Amino acid sequence: MTTREATQFAFRAAKEMGVWTAPPNAASASLSDKPAEEVRALKYSPNGQYLAWTTASETRVADAQTLATVATIARKNIVDVRFSPKGTYLITWERFSPNAAEGDDTNNLRVWEAATGQALGGFKQNNFSASALQWTDDERFCAKLFSGEVRFYTPTALRRVALKLALDGVSEFSVSPGLSPSVAVFVPERGSKPGMVRMYNVGSFTRPTASKTFFKADKVEFHWHRLGTNLLVLTQTDVDKTGRSYYGESGLYFMAAAGNFDCRVPLDRDGPIHDVAWNPEDKEFAVS
């Protein structure tokens, strides 16, 4: 009979952080460098190799199996942390300070090598979310939205733009998962012009592989199939001009990354769409 590795989870409370193994052999695990102050955020890397947490004075990365610290980032005021898809890089975010002293580094979204804590570079970012800095699954590129363009960087050379997708009015983007990554970009409707989503192969921005236009779209949510082959676009308006909904009007569109099919998803009733989810094992999806 093979022995299965115990499931582990971490938690943070007002004045405490802890790590436990799950039932049937539930037990508290010992952190070699347990923080003495409040933990603001903690994250496991997607592959389970590392556990990172941040306090007001520093950020630590620990080996998730031994719980020994492998890297310490002695930078104050970090409030959130994320990992790249393979856990090679750690992303930290601080609240932006426009009143920084002259000569100070004002970048508040930073990238570090997870195994060593070495600083690789950074950007300015007012608000932080999982989509602020996006990655291809192989970690070859990370991407960030700027005014009128999406810029792609190699993580070890963040001072230099590796690729650039320029599109006037682009307000949102999403990099797909999968071995052959695509990027979807959204331009909201303006006046009589409809909103638009275009898809490109990462690294080939001359011509889109797929394109879809629609009205009643002030903002969108992108929902990729796990292989990156298909995309659901949930559109939303801030105001429902018909007066039927307080939450605005919504629509759902399906797009194939290959560009050979797209449609508006027919639903059995009118009204707001609250959520969309793909079946992780197939090409089915659910809508609520």
Side-chain angles (χ1 to χ4, degrees):
M1 181 177 179
T2 59
T3 302
R4 189 172 65 179
E5 188 173 332
T7 300
Q8 182 189 98
F9 65 89
F11 72 90
R12 66 184 181 96
K15 297 181 179 180
E16 183 182 10
M17 171 190 167
V19 179
W20 280 69
T21 53
N25 300 311
S28 175
S30 177
L31 277 170
S32 60
D33 297 294
K34 190 171 182 177
E37 53 189 323
E38 180 184 0
V39 172
R40 294 176 165 180
L42 59 82
K43 287 287 190 304
Y44 280 99
S45 60
N47 60 4
Q49 182 179 4
Y50 297 121
L51 171 63
W53 65 88
T54 186
T55 66
S57 58
E58 66 179 14
T59 297
R60 287 183 181 262
V61 180
D63 183 299
Q65 185 173 7
T66 65
L67 298 180
T69 297
V70 298
T72 301
I73 299 169
R75 185 171 182 86
K76 298 180 179 180
N77 300 321
I78 291 173
V79 296
D80 208 348
V81 293
R82 308 267 176 171
F83 280 97
S84 58
K86 292 185 175 181
T88 309
Y89 306 103
L90 181 73
I91 301 92
T92 64
W93 182 76
E94 310 154 33
R95 290 185 177 87
F96 181 70
S97 175
N99 300 318
E102 186 176 352
D104 285 356
D105 183 358
T106 58
N107 290 332
N108 62 324
L109 177 66
R110 299 170 186 274
V111 181
W112 315 78
E113 189 175 78
T116 64
Q118 178 186 352
L120 299 176
F123 309 92
K124 295 180 179 64
Q125 180 70 33
N126 288 337
N127 301 303
F128 187 60
S129 68
S131 61
L133 190 67
Q134 299 184 36
W135 298 77
T136 55
D137 275 358
D138 61 5
E139 297 183 345
R140 183 182 178 189
F141 297 110
C142 58
K144 189 177 185 302
L145 179 66
F146 291 82
S147 178
E149 60 189 33
V150 180
R151 298 177 187 174
F152 290 77
Y153 302 83
T154 54
T156 55
L158 294 175
R159 295 180 181 272
R160 184 173 65 251
V161 178
L163 302 168
K164 182 168 63 177
L165 170 56
L167 186 63
D168 185 41
V170 59
S171 63
E172 298 177 59
F173 81 103
S174 180
V175 176
S176 78
L179 298 177
S180 301
S182 300
V183 57
V185 290
F186 169 65
V187 177
E189 64 176 290
R190 288 181 291 183
S192 61
K193 292 184 178 180
M196 173 179 61
V197 168
R198 286 182 178 176
M199 298 168 65
Y200 298 84
N201 292 324
V202 172
S204 180
F205 302 142
T206 304
R207 181 178 299 175
T209 57
S211 183
K212 185 70 175 174
T213 59
F214 29 66
F215 287 98
K216 300 180 181 180
D218 297 324
K219 54 189 175 183
V220 298
E221 291 179 12
F222 295 110
H223 298 267
W224 288 98
H225 183 270
R226 63 183 179 86
L227 298 178
T229 50
N230 297 304
L231 174 66
L232 293 170
V233 182
L234 177 59
T235 64
Q236 188 78 30
T237 61
D238 295 324
V239 177
D240 183 351
K241 295 180 180 179
T242 68
R244 290 182 295 180
S245 172
Y246 173 80
Y247 299 100
E249 295 181 78
S250 52
L252 185 63
Y253 298 85
F254 175 96
M255 298 177 67
N260 56 352
F261 183 76
D262 65 71
C263 70
R264 177 163 185 157
V265 177
L267 303 176
D268 58 5
R269 62 172 177 80
D270 293 331
I273 299 171
H274 301 290
D275 203 0
V276 179
W278 284 98
N279 181 334
E281 299 301 328
D282 211 333
K283 294 183 179 180
E284 300 172 343
F285 58 88
V287 184
S288 66

